Amino acid sequence: MTAVGVGDDYDLGESDFESDISVDSLDSDSESDSQSGEMSDEELQEDEEERGAQPMVRGPWLPVLDTDSFDLGNDIDFAGDCGPVNPPGEDAPPIKYFDQQLGGGDGGVDLFDLLVRETNRYAEQYLQGRTLSPQSRARAWRPVDREEMRAFLGLLLGMGVVRKPTISSYWNEGDKNWLASTPSFGATMSRNRFQIIMRFLHCNDNSAAVPRGQPGHDPLHKIRPVLDLVNGSFANTHRLAQSVCVDERMVGFKGRHHLVQYMPNKKAHRWGVKLWILAEAGTGYTHQVRIYKGRNLGGPPPRAGLGHSVVMDLMEPHLDKGHHIICDNFFSSPSLCHDLFDRETFCTGVVAVRRKGMPSSFVGKRPPRGSTIVRRQGPLLAVLFSDRRVFTILSTMGSPRMEDGLNSRGRSVTLPSVVRLYNTLMGGVDLGDQLIAVYDPQVRSVKLWKKILINFLLTASVNAYQTFMNTHGRTTPRLDFHMSLLHSLVGNTHVTRRTGRPRTQPPSRRLTGRHFIEVLPGRKRKQCVLCRKRQRTTDGSAGKVRTWCPDCTVGLCARCFSQYHTAAHIEE
């Protein structure tokens, strides 16, 4: 290992700082790594403007030459308990864990009751004073109850397991669709009923919304009750371990909405709404969610910067407990690390070398491959490591000591210990994203809040799965857990089908009243209508009889008279 001192100087091209993370040292396949090491000049300028003009005063950056024996000496004991809180139990089915993630707590309204109440309210508001066309499906609306809402959500999540191009295709039947038919959807709920519930589905009262541009306007009014409910439930059912991650999550949406962001580095969803996520590093359990409302809707810009304020807001209930936060370079800065350490919280994250407060000696440096430049500012360690590319990392917990190991491709590499620490722990939010994307229903909607609601349901499912695994202490396939959950949501709900079309004409006269067989007057003869059908005569010579029914005015023999007046289906 080569330790680089303060006076050493190396040539550095501008492109070397396009990414802070080396492909060899970090898993380049993950979205977090590819995005965390890249910030444009405009992003840096905007972030520094938000941080204010006051310089940081934390003391000078001192060189560290003996990296093998260097120790920060930051000793903070983790004081919190971790793991599930009051889990349903080892014998409880998956639906119990899912309901716990969506419960109101302390006797409050859970998600299902909330959706039932607001959906029926919106349907009533929509139908009042509105003239509907004769073909409108809204004419068939009836209030939804809790059992039917659970079945509706079960079918909605089931569309993430069975993928089809359109919602109506799940109800396609017949010989042309027998290969891809899903009769369970039609047996649970009719297509029209599912679509009318989807149309009137709501989470909040529209009449209480403050118009846009008015004081007190909430751009998240449509989804606010659900956001508050899931944040409370996620936090109350699980205590975070020491290592946690803060990162962003995208909910894909390509419609028109003022909350939509464009993230070119996100492979799954480049367009959509951005969520700030606090997750457990080891399991991917989503603990808190914040929805980014944009620079113009989120109030005045924070003086310390957007990334700094997001981390401090998410971690506020967990400070002073010895947690260790891992984040990428959108959030990392020397001021964040120092502020967290003042609250007895560790922090590790890659950082842009031009971030305010970083060592000025890092700018323009390119040490030989495999070597480091290490600086210390009080409890904070800054490491510039040169591999295929040059990147910089900050930490109040790691060590600059070089260690041998294997990278994601199985190749032998030598990395600083703090880099290996970051690689190991920076992935909790990405793990949750992967588990959510597996069974994400591709439901098209022009309503952004409905896409967010589906994401929250899937997040609750992933959290329930992690709690289930933690409680049982054994490996259970995610598909088995998810299918058991869907079956329990659908329950015993079955559609009530009509047996044919409603009668539009009164019953035939031959089936009503009293009928008597009589002899035709004047020695006339008529063909018996039933004998004629059986004998299939065409010349009129067979089947002629002298008896008839004067009320029905048809010829009938004595043998066919009773059958004619009792059989339901006879072509007259």
Side-chain angles (χ1 to χ4, degrees), residues 313-328:
D313 176 60
L314 289 172
M315 287 298 299
E316 179 60 33
H318 310 286
L319 298 176
D320 303 312
K321 296 181 181 180
H323 282 285
H324 179 207
I325 303 174
I326 300 91
C327 51
D328 61 25

PDB file of all heavy atoms in Angstrom, residues 313-328:
ATOM      1  N   ASP A 313     -34.332  14.795   9.083  1.00  0.00           N
ATOM      2  CA  ASP A 313     -35.764  14.618   9.313  1.00  0.00           C
ATOM      3  C   ASP A 313     -36.114  13.148   9.494  1.00  0.00           C
ATOM      4  O   ASP A 313     -36.862  12.787  10.413  1.00  0.00           O
ATOM      5  CB  ASP A 313     -36.540  15.208   8.139  1.00  0.00           C
ATOM      6  CG  ASP A 313     -38.033  14.970   8.257  1.00  0.00           C
ATOM      7  OD1 ASP A 313     -38.631  15.421   9.249  1.00  0.00           O
ATOM      8  OD2 ASP A 313     -38.614  14.323   7.360  1.00  0.00           O
ATOM      9  N   LEU A 314     -35.583  12.278   8.638  1.00  0.00           N
ATOM     10  CA  LEU A 314     -35.878  10.850   8.752  1.00  0.00           C
ATOM     11  C   LEU A 314     -35.310  10.256  10.034  1.00  0.00           C
ATOM     12  O   LEU A 314     -35.900   9.343  10.628  1.00  0.00           O
ATOM     13  CB  LEU A 314     -35.325  10.106   7.538  1.00  0.00           C
ATOM     14  CG  LEU A 314     -36.037  10.344   6.202  1.00  0.00           C
ATOM     15  CD1 LEU A 314     -35.259   9.696   5.065  1.00  0.00           C
ATOM     16  CD2 LEU A 314     -37.456   9.788   6.230  1.00  0.00           C
ATOM     17  N   MET A 315     -34.162  10.749  10.481  1.00  0.00           N
ATOM     18  CA  MET A 315     -33.480  10.164  11.641  1.00  0.00           C
ATOM     19  C   MET A 315     -33.821  10.843  12.963  1.00  0.00           C
ATOM     20  O   MET A 315     -33.315  10.428  14.008  1.00  0.00           O
ATOM     21  CB  MET A 315     -31.965  10.227  11.427  1.00  0.00           C
ATOM     22  CG  MET A 315     -31.430   9.248  10.418  1.00  0.00           C
ATOM     23  SD  MET A 315     -31.718   7.518  10.895  1.00  0.00           S
ATOM     24  CE  MET A 315     -30.807   7.432  12.439  1.00  0.00           C
ATOM     25  N   GLU A 316     -34.662  11.860  12.935  1.00  0.00           N
ATOM     26  CA  GLU A 316     -34.936  12.617  14.157  1.00  0.00           C
ATOM     27  C   GLU A 316     -35.356  11.730  15.336  1.00  0.00           C
ATOM     28  O   GLU A 316     -34.856  11.885  16.450  1.00  0.00           O
ATOM     29  CB  GLU A 316     -36.001  13.680  13.869  1.00  0.00           C
ATOM     30  CG  GLU A 316     -36.374  14.518  15.080  1.00  0.00           C
ATOM     31  CD  GLU A 316     -35.188  15.280  15.655  1.00  0.00           C
ATOM     32  OE1 GLU A 316     -34.304  15.683  14.871  1.00  0.00           O
ATOM     33  OE2 GLU A 316     -35.141  15.469  16.897  1.00  0.00           O
ATOM     34  N   PRO A 317     -36.280  10.754  15.158  1.00  0.00           N
ATOM     35  CA  PRO A 317     -36.649   9.921  16.321  1.00  0.00           C
ATOM     36  C   PRO A 317     -35.558   8.942  16.738  1.00  0.00           C
ATOM     37  O   PRO A 317     -35.694   8.312  17.795  1.00  0.00           O
ATOM     38  CB  PRO A 317     -37.895   9.170  15.819  1.00  0.00           C
ATOM     39  CG  PRO A 317     -38.341   9.881  14.594  1.00  0.00           C
ATOM     40  CD  PRO A 317     -37.110  10.450  13.981  1.00  0.00           C
ATOM     41  N   HIS A 318     -34.515   8.784  15.929  1.00  0.00           N
ATOM     42  CA  HIS A 318     -33.525   7.744  16.190  1.00  0.00           C
ATOM     43  C   HIS A 318     -32.148   8.310  16.534  1.00  0.00           C
ATOM     44  O   HIS A 318     -31.175   7.550  16.633  1.00  0.00           O
ATOM     45  CB  HIS A 318     -33.391   6.834  14.962  1.00  0.00           C
ATOM     46  CG  HIS A 318     -34.704   6.335  14.440  1.00  0.00           C
ATOM     47  ND1 HIS A 318     -35.444   5.366  15.075  1.00  0.00           N
ATOM     48  CD2 HIS A 318     -35.431   6.696  13.339  1.00  0.00           C
ATOM     49  CE1 HIS A 318     -36.553   5.135  14.395  1.00  0.00           C
ATOM     50  NE2 HIS A 318     -36.571   5.931  13.343  1.00  0.00           N
ATOM     51  N   LEU A 319     -32.048   9.603  16.692  1.00  0.00           N
ATOM     52  CA  LEU A 319     -30.769  10.194  17.064  1.00  0.00           C
ATOM     53  C   LEU A 319     -30.443   9.904  18.524  1.00  0.00           C
ATOM     54  O   LEU A 319     -31.317   9.543  19.314  1.00  0.00           O
ATOM     55  CB  LEU A 319     -30.803  11.699  16.807  1.00  0.00           C
ATOM     56  CG  LEU A 319     -31.007  12.136  15.345  1.00  0.00           C
ATOM     57  CD1 LEU A 319     -31.122  13.650  15.250  1.00  0.00           C
ATOM     58  CD2 LEU A 319     -29.863  11.632  14.466  1.00  0.00           C
ATOM     59  N   ASP A 320     -29.153  10.070  18.854  1.00  0.00           N
ATOM     60  CA  ASP A 320     -28.663   9.868  20.235  1.00  0.00           C
ATOM     61  C   ASP A 320     -28.814   8.416  20.689  1.00  0.00           C
ATOM     62  O   ASP A 320     -28.943   8.149  21.888  1.00  0.00           O
ATOM     63  CB  ASP A 320     -29.391  10.794  21.217  1.00  0.00           C
ATOM     64  CG  ASP A 320     -29.251  12.255  20.851  1.00  0.00           C
ATOM     65  OD1 ASP A 320     -28.113  12.687  20.580  1.00  0.00           O
ATOM     66  OD2 ASP A 320     -30.282  12.956  20.814  1.00  0.00           O
ATOM     67  N   LYS A 321     -28.824   7.478  19.735  1.00  0.00           N
ATOM     68  CA  LYS A 321     -28.923   6.059  20.085  1.00  0.00           C
ATOM     69  C   LYS A 321     -27.762   5.235  19.558  1.00  0.00           C
ATOM     70  O   LYS A 321     -27.706   4.026  19.798  1.00  0.00           O
ATOM     71  CB  LYS A 321     -30.236   5.468  19.554  1.00  0.00           C
ATOM     72  CG  LYS A 321     -31.484   6.067  20.166  1.00  0.00           C
ATOM     73  CD  LYS A 321     -32.735   5.423  19.603  1.00  0.00           C
ATOM     74  CE  LYS A 321     -33.997   6.034  20.203  1.00  0.00           C
ATOM     75  NZ  LYS A 321     -35.229   5.402  19.645  1.00  0.00           N
ATOM     76  N   GLY A 322     -26.845   5.833  18.807  1.00  0.00           N
ATOM     77  CA  GLY A 322     -25.703   5.096  18.287  1.00  0.00           C
ATOM     78  C   GLY A 322     -25.938   4.423  16.963  1.00  0.00           C
ATOM     79  O   GLY A 322     -25.217   3.483  16.610  1.00  0.00           O
ATOM     80  N   HIS A 323     -26.927   4.882  16.193  1.00  0.00           N
ATOM     81  CA  HIS A 323     -27.169   4.297  14.874  1.00  0.00           C
ATOM     82  C   HIS A 323     -26.038   4.670  13.913  1.00  0.00           C
ATOM     83  O   HIS A 323     -25.306   5.646  14.124  1.00  0.00           O
ATOM     84  CB  HIS A 323     -28.503   4.777  14.305  1.00  0.00           C
ATOM     85  CG  HIS A 323     -29.691   4.077  14.881  1.00  0.00           C
ATOM     86  ND1 HIS A 323     -30.031   2.792  14.538  1.00  0.00           N
ATOM     87  CD2 HIS A 323     -30.621   4.491  15.780  1.00  0.00           C
ATOM     88  CE1 HIS A 323     -31.133   2.437  15.192  1.00  0.00           C
ATOM     89  NE2 HIS A 323     -31.506   3.448  15.956  1.00  0.00           N
ATOM     90  N   HIS A 324     -25.940   3.902  12.839  1.00  0.00           N
ATOM     91  CA  HIS A 324     -24.939   4.135  11.805  1.00  0.00           C
ATOM     92  C   HIS A 324     -25.669   4.305  10.484  1.00  0.00           C
ATOM     93  O   HIS A 324     -26.345   3.377  10.000  1.00  0.00           O
ATOM     94  CB  HIS A 324     -23.954   2.966  11.722  1.00  0.00           C
ATOM     95  CG  HIS A 324     -22.911   3.133  10.669  1.00  0.00           C
ATOM     96  ND1 HIS A 324     -22.291   2.058  10.055  1.00  0.00           N
ATOM     97  CD2 HIS A 324     -22.377   4.248  10.113  1.00  0.00           C
ATOM     98  CE1 HIS A 324     -21.416   2.512   9.174  1.00  0.00           C
ATOM     99  NE2 HIS A 324     -21.450   3.835   9.189  1.00  0.00           N
ATOM    100  N   ILE A 325     -25.567   5.494   9.881  1.00  0.00           N
ATOM    101  CA  ILE A 325     -26.279   5.819   8.648  1.00  0.00           C
ATOM    102  C   ILE A 325     -25.346   5.660   7.461  1.00  0.00           C
ATOM    103  O   ILE A 325     -24.197   6.124   7.491  1.00  0.00           O
ATOM    104  CB  ILE A 325     -26.816   7.262   8.690  1.00  0.00           C
ATOM    105  CG1 ILE A 325     -27.713   7.454   9.903  1.00  0.00           C
ATOM    106  CG2 ILE A 325     -27.567   7.602   7.410  1.00  0.00           C
ATOM    107  CD1 ILE A 325     -28.167   8.888  10.092  1.00  0.00           C
ATOM    108  N   ILE A 326     -25.839   5.001   6.414  1.00  0.00           N
ATOM    109  CA  ILE A 326     -25.095   4.867   5.164  1.00  0.00           C
ATOM    110  C   ILE A 326     -25.908   5.562   4.079  1.00  0.00           C
ATOM    111  O   ILE A 326     -27.122   5.315   3.930  1.00  0.00           O
ATOM    112  CB  ILE A 326     -24.860   3.388   4.803  1.00  0.00           C
ATOM    113  CG1 ILE A 326     -24.058   2.696   5.900  1.00  0.00           C
ATOM    114  CG2 ILE A 326     -24.123   3.260   3.492  1.00  0.00           C
ATOM    115  CD1 ILE A 326     -24.889   2.042   6.967  1.00  0.00           C
ATOM    116  N   CYS A 327     -25.275   6.442   3.316  1.00  0.00           N
ATOM    117  CA  CYS A 327     -25.976   7.197   2.293  1.00  0.00           C
ATOM    118  C   CYS A 327     -25.034   7.479   1.128  1.00  0.00           C
ATOM    119  O   CYS A 327     -23.813   7.330   1.249  1.00  0.00           O
ATOM    120  CB  CYS A 327     -26.543   8.501   2.853  1.00  0.00           C
ATOM    121  SG  CYS A 327     -25.359   9.504   3.751  1.00  0.00           S
ATOM    122  N   ASP A 328     -25.597   7.882   0.005  1.00  0.00           N
ATOM    123  CA  ASP A 328     -24.782   8.174  -1.170  1.00  0.00           C
ATOM    124  C   ASP A 328     -24.436   9.651  -1.209  1.00  0.00           C
ATOM    125  O   ASP A 328     -24.735  10.408  -0.284  1.00  0.00           O
ATOM    126  CB  ASP A 328     -25.475   7.713  -2.454  1.00  0.00           C
ATOM    127  CG  ASP A 328     -26.807   8.425  -2.677  1.00  0.00           C
ATOM    128  OD1 ASP A 328     -26.974   9.547  -2.167  1.00  0.00           O
ATOM    129  OD2 ASP A 328     -27.669   7.860  -3.367  1.00  0.00           O
TER     130      ASP A 328
END
